[in-house]
Amino acid sequence: MNSQQPYSRHADISTQKVSELIAREPLSCPPSTSVAEAARIMRDHQVSSLAITQAGTGTLLGILTVRDLTHRVLAEGRDHSTKVHEVMTADPASLPTNALGSDILHYMLKNKVGHLPIVDHGHFVGMITQTDIMRFHAVSAAVLLTDLAKTDNVADMASISKHIPSLLVQLVGANHTHEVITRLISDIADTITRQLLKIAEAQLGAPPAPYLWLACGSQGRQEQSGVSDQDNCLFLDNSVSSDDMLYFSQMAHIVSDGLNACGYIYCPGDMMATNPYWCQPVRVWREYFHNWSVTHEPASQMLASVMFDLRPISGTSSLHRDLQAETLEMASKNSIFVAHMIANSLLHTPPLGMVRGFSPLRTGPHRGHLDMKLNGVAPITDLARIHALQGRIPDVNTRARLQAAQEAGIISTSGASDLIEAYDVIAMMRLQNQANMIKNGLEPSNYLAPGDLSGFERNHLRDAFIVVRTMQSALSNNYSALR
């Protein structure tokens, strides 16, 4: 299999000709068209913009968007018979068909526009929109997923997974939100895992008992970025025998080794299904959680937090579903356990200095940098997990947890809104920094140099950190009340 060629057309929008990016046939109307008719054309074709061209010549005269109809027609109280030439944007900027995708991205970002006409020797030939750009990237991710689903060997999967960094750069460059980017990247890890499980079953034969492979950590929360190790475990049916364990041990090694070959390095903490501790029947997992909930030690709280971030990837999902409901109910009723979980969640704090500045790392190879994982997204992830525990919320995704906690009344509307916005800022800056590192030929990491940010960005990041610290303080007060 040639692992490079399938992505030459899809992977890098910046090098694509504009003519290859036009998603539909040109749609236009003459300047004498009424705004009512123009609106009907846009509605019927499900588009948000319309080119205004000279009848007979196709010369581009202007552009009309849904925003124009709102701001220049409805808001101004104009009659529906108003001609489009009276409200259109005349002589709009355009690009020729031989321009590159990088020209589109540059112009849209610089001028904050969502529609860009394309012309060929003065004649309108099509429209490029932000939706087209998003569709292009979605197709890129879909191509990776489709090709992964067709593979039956680790070498091909490893070749395909090498495109993940460029996909991250493209998604960040297209201004996708962080939850979209991390979801797509997590979907790729999920697909690789499922294919590796198929390979394992093909090599080992049918499993001797029902099983469920689960992801934890960032993959479990569907929040993987450009830097990911593997965190996983196996839930086995209680009917499994001691003789059957060899099968699942071999399965775990096939999958874990395959993930490592695809760039998901072995977990430094050995939190993987290859570790017998993390490959057990459900009855043992139930005992684990009971012991963690009554043993109030830091290690127990850390292990318990893992339980709440598990997400089934492949197998018999009921092996986890019932236990998840049990543990949420049991844990939420145990005030001492909740208090210790809160204390554990407050160990990671935002890197704020004494005088509204940052407090970067002072020693080590990343001295002078901010750890955007441990001191950035992790404190918010921990807060969201606690709120999910308090509200018995089954979601494991951080943003989904915060939204559900708001709806359940666990967090105030204003508090949830502020924390979600802070999370969006921190998580997005983390991804932007990783994308910049990849573009500069570096291995992406979680370390950000404050000096690389503009003053505007530094202010926003600092404000986001302050929100997180404020929410941690409020949670700490609750912890004091529980003790």
Side-chain angles (χ1 to χ4, degrees):
M1 171 181 171
N2 185 338
S3 63
Q4 302 296 325
Q5 187 60 33
Y7 309 104
S8 61
R9 183 174 185 275
H10 296 285
D12 190 358
I13 190 173
S14 64
T15 61
Q16 300 302 303
K17 291 288 186 64
V18 165
S19 57
E20 296 178 338
L21 300 175
I22 297 175
R24 61 174 65 239
E25 292 298 314
L27 192 62
S28 64
C29 69
S32 59
T33 306
S34 68
V35 292
E37 178 59 20
R40 282 191 288 270
I41 294 174
M42 284 191 271
R43 179 200 64 190
D44 294 344
H45 289 83
Q46 298 183 333
V47 296
S48 57
S49 62
L50 194 61
I52 313 303
T53 57
Q54 186 67 53
T57 67
T59 301
L60 180 66
L61 302 176
I63 181 176
L64 184 72
T65 68
V66 170
R67 181 182 177 88
D68 294 330
L69 292 175
T70 301
H71 289 210
R72 299 176 184 177
V73 179
L74 291 177
E76 297 296 334
R78 291 176 180 263
D79 189 82
H80 65 273
S81 62
T82 301
K83 306 305 180 185
V84 293
H85 70 82
E86 299 178 46
V87 294
M88 70 181 184
T89 297
D91 300 318
S94 62
L95 287 178
T97 54
N98 62 355
L100 298 179
S102 58
D103 298 319
I104 298 174
L105 295 173
H106 176 74
Y107 188 86
M108 284 186 171
L109 291 174
K110 180 180 179 180
N111 297 281
K112 297 181 179 179
V113 298
H115 306 82
L116 191 58
I118 306 302
V119 298
D120 185 18
H121 300 293
H123 301 288
F124 173 71
V125 295
M127 190 83 70
I128 299 290
T129 69
Q130 285 185 341
T131 301
D132 296 326
I133 302 300
M134 293 176 66
R135 184 181 296 113
F136 178 93
H137 290 301
V139 168
S140 294
V143 169
L144 287 175
L145 293 169
T146 299
D147 284 355
L148 282 169
K150 297 176 182 177
T151 60
D152 58 4
N153 66 83
V154 175
D156 284 348
M157 280 189 278
S159 295
I160 296 170
S161 66
K162 290 179 181 178
H163 294 277
I164 294 175
S166 62
L167 176 64
L168 173 62
V169 171
Q170 295 153 23
L171 293 173
V172 170
N175 284 334
H176 286 287
T177 58
H178 70 90
E179 66 266 26
V180 169
I181 297 172
T182 55
R183 171 60 186 272
L184 288 173
I185 292 175
S186 299
D187 285 348
I188 293 172
D190 291 355
T191 301
I192 290 174
T193 303
R194 294 187 186 105
Q195 291 305 105
L196 289 169
L197 285 166
K198 290 180 181 178
I199 290 174
E201 289 194 23
Q203 292 182 13
L204 302 173
Y211 74 89
L212 179 64
W213 185 280
L214 302 100
C216 42
S218 59
Q219 185 186 358
R221 297 189 302 274
Q222 295 180 297
E223 295 166 2
Q224 285 192 308
S225 68
V227 185
S228 295
D229 58 3
Q230 53 175 292
D231 299 286
N232 46 62
C233 63
L234 269 169
F235 276 28
L236 308 177
D237 189 81
N238 286 332
S239 65
V240 68
S241 69
S242 57
D243 292 338
D244 296 334
M245 297 305 290
L246 176 60
Y247 176 97
F248 292 109
S249 175
Q250 293 174 330
M251 166 183 276
H253 278 89
I254 291 172
V255 176
S256 185
D257 291 346
L259 287 170
N260 185 70
C262 291
Y264 303 95
I265 62 173
Y266 299 118
C267 175
D270 202 20
M271 194 174 291
M272 300 178 293
T274 51
N275 182 342
Y277 188 84
W278 298 107
C279 177
Q280 292 291 337
V282 172
R283 64 176 180 273
V284 175
W285 283 98
R286 185 174 281 105
E287 291 173 3
Y288 282 169
F289 184 79
H290 174 75
N291 292 335
W292 296 336
S293 65
V294 297
T295 305
H296 307 305
E297 298 177 355
S300 294
Q301 309 312 313
M302 184 275 290
L303 294 172
S305 68
V306 170
M307 174 69 77
F308 296 118
D309 285 0
L310 291 175
R311 181 172 61 88
I313 301 299
S314 184
T316 306
S317 59
S318 61
L319 295 177
H320 170 255
R321 184 176 58 245
D322 295 340
L323 182 57
Q324 182 192 36
E326 288 178 31
T327 53
L328 277 173
E329 181 176 4
M330 181 191 310
S332 64
K333 292 179 179 179
N334 186 336
S335 60
I336 297 177
F337 175 75
V338 173
H340 283 278
M341 285 288 289
I342 290 175
N344 190 62
S345 73
L346 299 175
L347 296 177
H348 302 135
T349 58
L352 288 168
M354 295 296 292
V355 191
R356 289 184 58 81
F358 296 121
S359 178
L361 298 170
R362 296 181 180 180
T363 59
H366 302 290
R367 181 170 178 260
H369 289 68
L370 306 177
D371 188 334
M372 295 294 285
K373 177 183 179 180
L374 193 63
N375 302 114
V377 296
I380 307 175
T381 298
D382 291 340
L383 285 170
R385 186 184 300 110
I386 292 298
H387 294 316
L389 170 60
Q390 293 172 322
R392 302 183 194 177
I393 296 166
D395 297 285
V396 295
N397 177 266
T398 297
R399 209 171 190 277
R401 279 173 164 170
L402 293 175
Q403 291 171 335
Q406 175 185 345
E407 294 171 0
I410 305 298
I411 322 176
S412 68
T413 300
S414 60
S417 177
D418 288 346
L419 190 54
I420 290 172
E421 288 185 19
Y423 179 51
D424 290 345
V425 169
I426 296 169
M428 198 65 230
M429 284 196 182
R430 178 195 184 201
L431 291 176
Q432 288 169 341
N433 182 56
Q434 291 181 358
N436 288 335
M437 297 178 79
I438 293 170
K439 287 189 289 186
N440 290 325
L442 303 173
E443 286 291 325
S445 77
N446 290 303
Y447 299 98
L448 168 66
D452 291 342
L453 301 175
S454 66
F456 179 82
E457 291 171 327
R458 284 196 296 272
N459 288 336
H460 271 267
L461 183 58
R462 184 184 61 217
D463 290 344
F465 285 150
I466 290 173
V467 168
V468 178
R469 185 171 65 180
T470 300
M471 296 298 288
Q472 284 186 321
S473 296
L475 189 62
S476 178
N477 292 334
N478 292 337
Y479 165 59
S480 298
L482 287 171
R483 286 196 300 178

